[in-house]
């Protein structure tokens, strides 16, 4: 179903939600008891973590690092880890916001059958949600690509600092990937620590652009969608296939689909109704 133009009216982030949007979301929740909820970067902006895209779905800045570039080029790994060392503490300090808390309340009330997030910040779990499907992994974990050793990101931060005295290792600035812009620095001087077990390549346990979501993770999400009565999208433009596919399939199955998102989404012609509003304010008012 094509979204009517009048439903695309913008509501500024942080402003009170539109009353008709609150009523529409309440009606949607009352009518559908088992939801498949899919969240994106827009749900975490109130926590200080920027999103990737503008209202038209375009990149706000440089495109994120690609999987093959990270795996295949030491220079790219140096650049990534140098920037991540400076940006990680701000991500680690981030706290769940009202949107995460509202979804936690909705889950406790039995309305959420499956909660899938495209985010890697772990804020749904920090808000108390259990059984979250982290579609793109978690930034607070690191994996060795050679021996599959798992390390905490905090441990790797200690290793990065030990190897790179004098480099910036904490900042309030942050980009969507959990890194920051460092300006004109010589990345060739940056030392990337190896896996302490086998000496292999350490990588954040996240799906970089161009990488593949693990099959088991995708299977869990499909199982959740098969049991759902409706789909609620929160803070996602759905421009990435990994999330869009579930909305497309929901439309094929004739499930009601509601989306809360500022601006255009890839699924505008599939969504039953879109509410262009601040997700934290709207969810808070609609979920008592």
């Amino acid at each position: 179903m094509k979204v009517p133009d009048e439903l695309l009216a913008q509501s500024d982030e942080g402003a009170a939600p539109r009353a008709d949007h609150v009523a529409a979301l309440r009606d949607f929740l009352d009518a559908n008891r088992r939801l498949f909820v899919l969240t994106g970067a827009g749900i975490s902006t109130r926590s200080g973590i920027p999103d990737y895209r503008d209202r038209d779905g375009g990149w706000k800045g440089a495109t994120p690092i690609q999987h093959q570039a990270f795996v295949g080029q030491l220079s790219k790994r140096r650049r990534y880890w140098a920037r991540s060392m400076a940006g990680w503490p701000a991500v680690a300090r981030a706290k769940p916001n009202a949107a995460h808390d509202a979804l936690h309340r909705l889950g406790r009330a039995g309305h959420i059958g499956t909660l899938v997030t495209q985010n890697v910040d772990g804020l749904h779990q920090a808000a108390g949600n259990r059984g979250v499907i982290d579609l793109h992994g978690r930034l607070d974990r690191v994996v060795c690509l050679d021996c599959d050793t798992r390390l905490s990101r905090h441990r790797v931060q200690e290793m990065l600092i030990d190897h790179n005295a004098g480099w910036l290792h904490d900042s309030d600035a942050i980009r969507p990937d959990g890194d920051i812009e460092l300006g004109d620095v010589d990345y060739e001087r940056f030392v990337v620590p190896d896996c302490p077990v086998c000496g292999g390549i350490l990588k954040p346990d996240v799906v970089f652009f161009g990488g593949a979501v693990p099959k088991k993770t995708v299977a869990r999400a499909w199982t959740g969608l098969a049991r759902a009565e409706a789909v609620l999208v929160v803070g996602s433009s759905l421009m990435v296939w990994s999330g869009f596919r579930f909305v497309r399939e929901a439309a094929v199955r004739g499930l009601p689909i509601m989306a809360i998102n500022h601006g255009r989404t890839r699924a505008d012609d599939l969504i039953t109704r879109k509410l262009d509003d601040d997700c934290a304010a709207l969810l808070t008012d609609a979920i008592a």
Side-chain angles (χ1 to χ4, degrees):
M1 179 184 296
K2 182 66 177 178
V3 182
D5 290 342
E6 64 266 26
L7 297 181
L8 302 181
Q10 180 179 3
S11 177
D12 293 336
E13 183 171 336
R18 284 173 43 174
D20 60 322
H21 287 180
V22 175
L25 180 54
R26 285 176 177 167
D27 289 344
F28 180 81
L29 297 177
D30 287 342
N32 303 286
R33 304 295 296 181
R34 183 181 290 274
L35 295 175
F36 179 97
V37 178
L38 175 66
T39 70
I43 199 173
S44 293
T45 56
R46 286 280 200 97
S47 297
I49 300 176
D51 54 6
Y52 290 96
R53 300 180 185 270
D54 59 26
R55 287 186 57 83
D56 294 323
W59 295 110
K60 288 183 175 179
T63 56
I65 190 168
Q66 300 291 308
H67 175 84
Q68 288 301 327
F70 182 93
V71 173
Q73 301 177 46
L74 176 58
S75 61
K76 297 296 186 181
R77 292 198 295 277
R78 283 173 172 157
R79 183 176 184 273
Y80 175 85
W81 281 117
R83 291 158 57 108
S84 178
M85 183 174 73
W88 161 249
V91 176
R93 290 191 291 265
K95 302 297 182 183
N97 63 56
H100 300 101
D101 293 337
L103 288 182
H104 179 225
R105 293 196 301 275
L106 190 65
R108 289 180 61 187
H111 280 272
I112 298 178
T114 303
L115 175 55
V116 178
T117 185
Q118 298 171 104
N119 301 336
V120 295
D121 51 37
L123 292 181
H124 282 300
Q125 290 89 337
N129 292 283
R130 297 293 177 263
V132 179
I133 299 176
D134 296 298
L135 201 59
H136 296 155
R138 288 277 295 272
L139 201 60
D140 60 356
R141 300 189 297 242
V142 177
V143 61
C144 174
L145 297 180
D146 294 270
C147 71
D148 204 41
T149 290
R150 308 282 166 151
L151 302 171
S152 74
R153 181 61 182 78
H154 292 292
R155 170 69 182 113
V156 173
Q157 184 75 356
E158 294 172 349
M159 294 164 62
L160 289 164
I161 294 172
D162 287 345
H163 283 76
N164 297 280
W167 282 77
L168 180 66
H169 58 82
D170 194 350
S171 173
D172 289 330
I174 189 173
R175 294 178 69 253
D177 283 346
D179 60 8
I180 70 167
E181 295 286 356
L182 291 179
D184 186 17
V185 299
D186 182 9
Y187 290 110
E188 293 302 313
R189 295 189 300 106
F190 192 83
V191 179
V192 178
D194 297 324
C195 171
V197 175
C198 75
I201 295 174
L202 293 178
K203 174 185 171 294
D205 194 12
V206 301
V207 179
F208 285 143
F209 281 80
V213 178
K215 291 181 179 179
K216 289 183 178 180
T217 302
V218 176
R220 286 181 60 204
W222 283 128
T223 298
L225 183 62
R227 298 171 178 169
E229 297 177 5
V231 172
L232 176 64
V233 178
V234 182
S236 177
S237 65
L238 299 171
M239 293 298 174
V240 178
W241 168 253
S242 59
F244 171 74
R245 59 182 150 188
F246 299 112
V247 176
R248 190 181 72 164
E249 179 62 22
V252 170
R253 298 183 185 185
L255 299 180
I257 305 167
M258 178 168 279
I260 307 169
N261 189 66
H262 280 307
R264 174 176 172 262
T265 81
R266 184 179 179 180
D268 277 356
D269 60 342
L270 303 176
I271 295 169
T272 309
R273 184 164 185 180
K274 183 172 73 178
L275 308 177
D276 194 317
D277 219 321
D278 178 70
C279 57
L282 180 54
L283 287 168
T284 297
D285 281 13
I287 302 171

